[in-house]
Amino acid sequence: MAPLPPEKWFPHQDELPPLPLPSLEDTCERYLESVQPLLTPEAFEHTKAIVADFKRPGGAGMSYQEELQAKAASERNWMEVWWEQLAYLRTRTTMAVHINWFGVMPDLGIPTTNVQAAAITLHCLLEVKGMLETGVFPIEKIRGNPLDMNQFTRVFGMTRVPAEGSDNLVQASDSKHVVVLRKNAMYSMPLYRRSGEPLSLGELQAQIAAVLNLDAVNILEEEALFCVALDDRSPNTKEEAANIALKGMDGRNRWFDKSFTVICFENGRGGLNAEHTPVDAMTIVSIFMHALDRVRKVAASQLKHFNAQLPPLNVKCEPPVRLSWEVSPRLQRVLERASASITALTRDCQLVLLHFNHFGKGLMKRAKLHPDFFMQASRRPNACMY
C-alpha cells in the first residue's frame, strides 16, 4: 500500500470535537481548589477576595474570557500554539535533563551487540512507521471514545531548531535516513533503497556496521527521521542505563534537539532520549510499545541472521556518509563551554531506580486514574514540603 499524506493517516480527526473552553466561573473555582492546600486560612481568604474581584461583571476576568471565546470559536485547539510557545519553544534553558525525557528498553532476551540491537530496533520502527503511513495504526481510545492522534504525525523527521527569542520546529516527514552518533562523530545512514523500499534486517545491520569506517564530508544535517546513538558504554543495571539515557553525561554523542534518539549500548542494552516539544511523551511511548512487541518476535525468529556473516552493502541503497563541519577556534571554545555546563548539570542530577512492589498501573486504572497523572500528582505533596 502506498504511503498516505499525514493528514490522511487518521480519517476520524475531523469528527473530533474542538478543545472545550471552561467557563470563567469554573476556572476560578478550580484555581481556588488547587491553591487552598498551599495557603494558610488567612492567605486563602485574601486569595478568594482577589478571585471574586477578578471574575465580577466588568472585571478583568470577563474581558480575558471574551478574548478566549473568540479564539476558541476560530481554532480547534485554542491552547495548542500558546502552550507550545510558552512552555517549550521560548524557554532558554538547557534541553538536556530540563526538557528531554528518557526511557530504558526491555532486554531482548538474547545476547546482542549494539550494532545488532540497533538494526533490529530500526527494522521494527520502520514497520510501525509503515503502519502509520498506510493508515492501519490502531486509533487509541478511552472508554470507547477515539483520541486525537495528530501528534503521531509530528514524531518522525521533527527537529527543534534554535533561534533567537523562540526556537522553531522543522519537520522533514519524507526523510529516508537517520543520523547515527558514534564516538562524537555523526553519520547519515539511509534506511530505504532508492526504489523506496525499507532495508531488510540484514541490510540495516550491514549499514550500521559500515558507518564506523568512513571519510568525512561537509553536510549540515537537520532532516533525519531520528537519531541512533551507538554508545560505547555497557551499563550493567537498568539504573545505570537510565542515568546515561537521561543525561548523556557530558552532552556529547547526543542530539537533544531531535525528536528522539535510540541509544544502543555496547552490550546490547537499549535506551531512549526524546525531545518533549512537538509531542507528549506517551505518543512516542505508544510507537515504541508497538515496535518493541515486534522486536522480541523478530529477535527470536531471526537469531540466525545475527550470527551469520554480514551481507554486503546493497548497491540499490545510498551508502552511509560521515558528516563533518569546519569549526572555528571561537566556536570550538563555545562547544567546550557547553559540554562543561552540561557535565556540571548532570552531576547535579541524581536518578535512582526504585522497585515499588505495593501496587502498579492496574490499581490506578481500576480507580480510573491514568498512571501518568497519578505519578505527577503523587510528587506534588512531596514538592510542597520543600
Side-chain angles (χ1 to χ4, degrees):
M1 186 183 297
L4 299 170
E7 62 269 19
K8 300 292 186 182
W9 290 3
F10 305 104
H12 78 290
Q13 286 292 115
D14 293 337
E15 302 171 6
L16 296 175
L19 181 70
L21 175 66
S23 67
L24 177 60
E25 183 68 28
D26 183 59
T27 298
C28 292
E29 287 300 318
R30 288 175 179 267
Y31 172 73
L32 290 174
E33 288 178 7
S34 67
V35 300
Q36 185 174 13
L38 309 178
L39 301 176
T40 64
E42 295 77 11
F44 182 61
E45 289 300 318
H46 178 67
T47 302
K48 286 171 61 178
I50 294 175
V51 170
D53 181 68
F54 177 79
K55 68 179 183 179
R56 64 176 173 79
M62 295 293 291
S63 176
Y64 294 144
Q65 186 73 9
E66 290 173 359
E67 292 184 26
L68 289 176
Q69 289 170 342
K71 187 174 178 63
S74 61
E75 300 177 12
R76 289 182 60 82
N77 189 329
W78 56 270
M79 184 187 290
E80 184 175 32
V81 174
W82 284 344
W83 176 256
E84 195 169 86
Q85 285 285 331
L86 298 176
Y88 292 104
L89 293 176
R90 295 184 189 179
T91 59
R92 303 292 86 186
T93 188
T94 303
M95 302 291 294
V97 178
H98 291 300
I99 293 178
N100 285 35
W101 58 275
F102 75 98
V104 176
M105 305 288 190
D107 294 336
L108 295 182
I110 59 173
T112 59
T113 67
N114 56 353
V115 172
Q116 294 167 338
I120 193 171
T121 302
L122 289 177
H123 176 73
C124 295
L125 278 172
L126 289 179
E127 286 188 348
V128 176
K129 182 172 178 286
M131 293 173 61
L132 287 165
E133 293 174 336
T134 53
V136 299
F137 190 89
I139 296 173
E140 298 189 348
K141 299 180 179 180
I142 290 182
R143 302 184 186 95
N145 298 312
L147 298 178
D148 188 335
M149 301 289 284
N150 179 63
Q151 289 194 0
F152 285 83
T153 70
R154 308 182 75 201
V155 174
F156 292 100
M158 184 67 79
T159 308
R160 177 169 168 164
V161 179
E164 187 174 356
S166 176
D167 296 345
N168 300 307
L169 289 177
V170 177
Q171 187 174 23
S173 56
D174 58 349
S175 177
K176 301 296 182 183
H177 68 281
V178 294
V179 163
V180 179
L181 303 113
R182 171 71 171 174
K183 294 185 181 297
N184 304 325
M186 303 176 74
Y187 306 83
S188 176
M189 191 191 82
L191 298 177
Y192 295 83
R193 299 169 187 150
R194 293 186 182 92
S195 62
E197 299 173 314
L199 297 180
S200 68
L201 176 60
E203 290 168 338
L204 285 169
Q205 192 175 345
Q207 286 277 90
I208 296 169
V211 304
L212 306 182
N213 186 22
L214 292 171
D215 294 328
V217 296
N218 288 315
I219 300 177
L220 179 60
E221 179 54 68
E222 286 182 359
E223 298 184 349
L225 282 174
F226 52 91
C227 290
V228 179
L230 299 179
D231 203 296
D232 55 6
R233 288 164 288 196
S234 296
N236 293 315
T237 65
K238 287 187 176 180
E239 181 175 305
E240 188 179 351
N243 273 277
I244 299 173
L246 169 64
K247 306 184 223 179
M249 311 316 284
D250 59 2
R252 301 172 190 265
N253 213 48
R254 296 289 186 272
W255 189 2
F256 292 107
D257 291 334
K258 203 61 188 169
S259 56
F260 67 89
T261 297
V262 177
I263 304 167
C264 298
F265 298 107
E266 198 76 29
N267 58 0
R269 285 182 177 269
L272 173 71
N273 185 284
E275 209 270 283
H276 212 311
T277 304
V279 299
D280 293 328
M282 293 309 298
T283 302
I284 294 181
V285 168
S286 179
I287 289 174
F288 269 82
M289 290 300 291
H290 281 85
L292 292 172
D293 284 344
R294 288 163 170 73
V295 164
R296 286 182 172 175
K297 295 175 183 177
V298 173
S301 63
Q302 301 198 35
L303 176 61
K304 59 182 180 181
H305 294 292
F306 283 161
N307 298 320
Q309 184 176 0
L310 288 177
L313 290 176
N314 193 326
V315 295
K316 297 181 180 180
C317 173
E318 296 291 339
V321 177
R322 179 171 174 171
L323 309 179
S324 180
W325 293 268
E326 293 182 3
V327 180
S328 66
R330 178 177 179 274
L331 180 55
Q332 184 64 43
R333 291 192 295 270
V334 172
L335 293 174
E336 292 298 333
R337 286 198 297 269
S339 180
S341 176
I342 291 182
T343 300
L345 173 64
T346 59
R347 288 177 178 173
D348 194 44
C349 174
Q350 294 181 321
L351 188 154
V352 178
L353 185 64
L354 172 66
H355 292 277
F356 186 79
N357 299 317
H358 299 285
F359 58 85
K361 65 179 181 181
L363 177 65
M364 303 174 201
K365 290 184 175 181
R366 287 194 296 273
K368 298 182 179 181
L369 296 172
H370 193 285
D372 185 56
F373 162 79
F374 182 92
M375 294 306 299
Q376 294 286 347
S378 67
R379 294 172 54 195
R380 295 194 178 187
N382 292 331
C384 293
M385 295 173 62
Y386 297 95

